[in-house]
Amino acid sequence: MDKIILENIRLFGYHGCILEEEKIGSHYIVNIEIELDLKKPSISDKLSETIDYVNLYRIVEKEMNINSKLIEHLAQRIVQKINKRYKIIKHTKVKICKENPPMQGNIDRVCIVLYE
């Protein structure tokens, strides 16, 4: 199966269960991977026969601006919006990483991956 992948989308958001996360916010890295048949657009060279990755980015950006306690919930919203808008998608994978999570210990990020 063919794929469109957006890697390392860097955004800022206010997601988390701790009050400080809601006030201070954090940096996030989002990766989107969608599976679909790209044979037709690869031959025709027509944007109308594929998915414009600019629109995928805008969906992620819009959902990042809606606060969630869990990044799992944020990922689910992103998957739902993408799949609802584009019926030609076979599978969607979203990975969200929170940079410098507020926890004791030396850790760069925590990540979740959601498949649908």
Side-chain angles (χ1 to χ4, degrees):
M1 185 59 52
D2 307 316
K3 295 181 181 183
I4 294 175
I5 302 170
L6 279 69
E7 290 185 336
N8 298 326
I9 301 169
R10 298 180 191 285
L11 297 167
F12 193 84
Y14 298 89
H15 310 288
C17 296
I18 301 171
L19 183 59
E20 288 80 16
E21 293 175 299
E22 293 177 14
K23 290 184 177 184
I24 299 169
S26 186
H27 292 277
Y28 294 83
I29 296 174
V30 181
N31 292 283
I32 304 293
E33 186 173 307
I34 58 172
E35 292 185 11
L36 68 164
D37 185 354
L38 293 174
K39 183 173 183 171
K40 196 172 181 180
S42 71
I43 294 168
S44 72
D45 199 27
K46 292 181 182 176
L47 180 60
S48 62
E49 293 179 347
T50 186
I51 295 175
D52 187 344
Y53 51 81
V54 172
N55 291 330
L56 293 174
Y57 176 86
R58 287 185 181 140
I59 289 170
V60 173
E61 187 177 45
K62 183 177 179 182
E63 292 304 315
M64 280 296 294
N65 287 323
I66 302 169
N67 297 2
S68 292
K69 294 200 180 303
L70 302 176
I71 56 176
E72 292 89 333
H73 183 256
L74 172 61
Q76 180 62 36
R77 289 197 330 259
I78 292 169
V79 167
Q80 287 176 340
K81 296 283 174 148
I82 291 171
N83 290 345
K84 183 177 179 182
R85 184 165 181 180
Y86 301 104
K87 302 301 183 197
I88 62 173
I89 294 174
K90 304 294 183 205
H91 297 283
T92 305
K93 175 182 170 185
V94 175
K95 178 180 178 183
I96 301 177
C97 299
K98 180 186 285 192
E99 300 286 304
N100 302 310
M103 52 193 295
Q104 293 180 1
N106 187 8
I107 184 168
D108 290 336
R109 67 189 59 88
V110 295
C111 303
I112 63 96
V113 178
L114 190 69
Y115 299 92
E116 192 162 306

